[in-house]
Amino acid sequence: MSRYLVTGAAGFIGFHVARRLLADGHQVIALDNLNDYYDVNLKQARLAELAHDDRFTFEQVNIADSDALQRQFSSDTFDAVVHLAAQAGVRHSITHPHDYVETNILGFLNILEGCRQQQSGHLVYASSSSVYGANTTMPCSVSQSADHPISLYGATKKSNELMAHTYSHLYGLATTGLRFFTVYGPWGRPDMALFLFTRAILSGQPIQLFNEGNMRRSFTYIDDVVEPIIRVLDQPATSASDWDSDNPDPATSSAPYRVFNIGGGESVELLRFVEILEQCLGREATRELLPMQPGDVQVSHADVTALEQAVGFRPQVRLEDGVARFCEWYQGYYPGS
């Protein structure tokens, strides 16, 4: 039985990771600040699900509070840290930029410092497909440059990768960054497209399709995110013996540092995504076509070759099956919707 610290455990991905670790027989110490970026009741309901297991411990902590986080690391030991707490949302970062610097940069620094001081064995942390920004070469590979983010959210996630590499180099801290691509599924975030579209369709409201729906995404079912996280946890990043400083691979290093994409196996048109949702709900959507929003990218498509080579995993869940599972959960969680 291992002992893991999971930050952001009341969030969508954090909840599922914590639940899987508990199911595998491990202890989970969970942190979350329970902020009101979206419905706190949903976050508390996730925690209530986890609290049924007596190997689960929760502390309400803001990772930007360095003193509180230092006390947490000083009073406990962990086999590894899964850092999933962040201020999420591309569009929200345009209107609330300070929230992103405080949580995603200062908070991440506090996590790195805690891992350094405690000499945690492995830090696995959430990055994002948003780091690819202005890149148009598809599919996006971790070996290509990702130096042109087009949202502050993406910029903070790229900053996390750079900070992690620095700590890997200076202190030998094994760090693995995971670039998530449009994660969806039961217990999902209310600000994400699937949740918003489902709520609108069931209430007879129009759905908003930016760029008139002419976008593509690597939609990734939550189980196809959790499984590689679990596998990566068991394989801490190591120094790449063939790393060439004259021709550096951005995804590896002479330090114990790695970055992986975690994304669906294909890039799906948003309009096709809506069609699948309509079929699952048995209702048609009223479409409101809108222009492209600042910070959005037109296409995301994950190359997961590096992930497959490292941990032997590729996405398994078809979009049709994943959307159906979400709809079943949503209508059970919100009866009468």
Side-chain angles (χ1 to χ4, degrees):
M1 179 174 63
S2 296
R3 189 171 175 82
Y4 294 106
L5 176 68
V6 178
T7 71
F12 174 32
I13 299 176
F15 160 72
H16 282 277
V17 170
R19 186 165 68 172
R20 170 64 184 274
L21 289 171
L22 292 170
D24 288 349
H26 302 299
Q27 289 184 298
V28 173
I29 298 85
L31 305 183
D32 203 292
N33 68 347
L34 296 176
N35 70 23
D36 61 359
Y37 171 64
Y38 63 79
D39 185 12
V40 176
N41 291 325
L42 178 59
K43 297 179 181 183
Q44 291 173 331
R46 293 176 184 141
L47 291 175
E49 289 285 313
L50 298 172
H52 294 303
D53 195 309
D54 59 10
R55 289 163 301 163
F56 176 77
T57 303
F58 173 70
E59 298 287 344
Q60 186 169 346
V61 172
N62 185 342
I63 61 169
D65 183 340
S66 58
D67 292 337
L69 203 58
Q70 184 177 28
R71 286 194 296 271
Q72 190 70 45
F73 275 97
S74 299
S75 64
D76 212 336
T77 58
F78 315 107
D79 294 288
V81 175
V82 188
H83 176 54
L84 301 170
Q87 178 57 59
V90 169
R91 293 170 194 147
H92 189 72
S93 71
I94 294 172
T95 55
H96 297 77
H98 293 87
D99 293 350
Y100 290 76
V101 173
E102 177 180 325
T103 301
N104 297 2
I105 295 183
L106 177 58
F108 189 64
L109 174 62
N110 292 336
I111 292 292
L112 287 168
E113 275 293 288
C115 290
R116 176 184 70 82
Q117 293 167 8
Q118 193 208 65
Q119 297 183 329
S120 300
H122 191 196
L123 170 62
V124 176
Y125 63 94
S127 186
S128 169
S129 62
S130 295
V131 302
Y132 290 110
N135 289 16
T136 56
T137 299
M138 297 293 158
C140 297
S141 167
V142 289
S143 292
Q144 71 187 69
S145 170
D147 292 331
H148 298 87
I150 59 174
S151 67
L152 184 63
Y153 171 69
T156 63
K157 289 299 185 177
K158 178 62 177 179
S159 297
N160 288 173
E161 295 178 3
L162 298 174
M163 295 164 71
H165 182 268
T166 302
Y167 271 67
S168 294
H169 173 75
L170 290 174
Y171 308 113
L173 173 64
T175 65
T176 302
L178 304 174
R179 295 173 177 172
F180 299 134
F181 283 69
T182 315
V183 186
Y184 74 98
W187 295 97
R189 276 175 32 206
D191 63 319
M192 296 292 285
L194 181 55
F195 210 112
L196 291 169
F197 290 175
T198 299
R199 176 182 290 165
I201 292 171
L202 291 176
S203 63
Q205 300 297 314
I207 62 171
Q208 295 183 333
L209 298 177
F210 296 103
N211 200 36
E212 299 184 343
N214 295 314
M215 293 194 285
R216 302 179 69 95
R217 292 288 183 268
S218 277
F219 294 101
T220 315
Y221 188 68
I222 184 62
D223 289 1
D224 286 337
V225 171
V226 174
E227 179 62 29
I229 289 176
I230 299 302
R231 296 192 188 191
V232 163
L233 265 176
D234 291 336
Q235 298 186 32
T238 58
S239 170
S241 59
D242 60 348
W243 194 77
D244 182 0
S245 59
D246 289 330
N247 186 28
D249 178 356
T252 64
S253 176
S254 58
Y257 166 91
R258 279 302 314 255
V259 174
F260 294 113
N261 286 336
I262 295 186
E266 58 180 334
S267 187
V268 178
E269 293 179 351
L270 184 58
L271 294 175
R272 173 57 184 155
F273 180 70
V274 173
E275 289 175 357
I276 293 170
L277 178 58
E278 290 174 323
Q279 292 165 6
C280 291
L281 294 176
R283 302 190 191 185
E284 290 189 4
T286 301
R287 294 159 169 78
E288 182 181 355
L289 304 181
L290 298 171
M292 194 76 162
Q293 293 291 285
D296 273 354
V297 297
Q298 189 165 340
V299 180
S300 74
H301 188 185
D303 180 343
V304 295
T305 304
L307 179 71
E308 183 177 21
Q309 291 173 344
V311 298
F313 182 81
R314 291 189 68 86
Q316 306 292 317
V317 180
R318 297 169 60 247
L319 184 60
E320 291 82 356
D321 296 331
V323 171
R325 294 177 197 175
F326 171 82
C327 291
E328 181 181 4
W329 169 81
Y330 184 94
Q331 292 176 299
Y333 188 80
Y334 297 102
S337 58

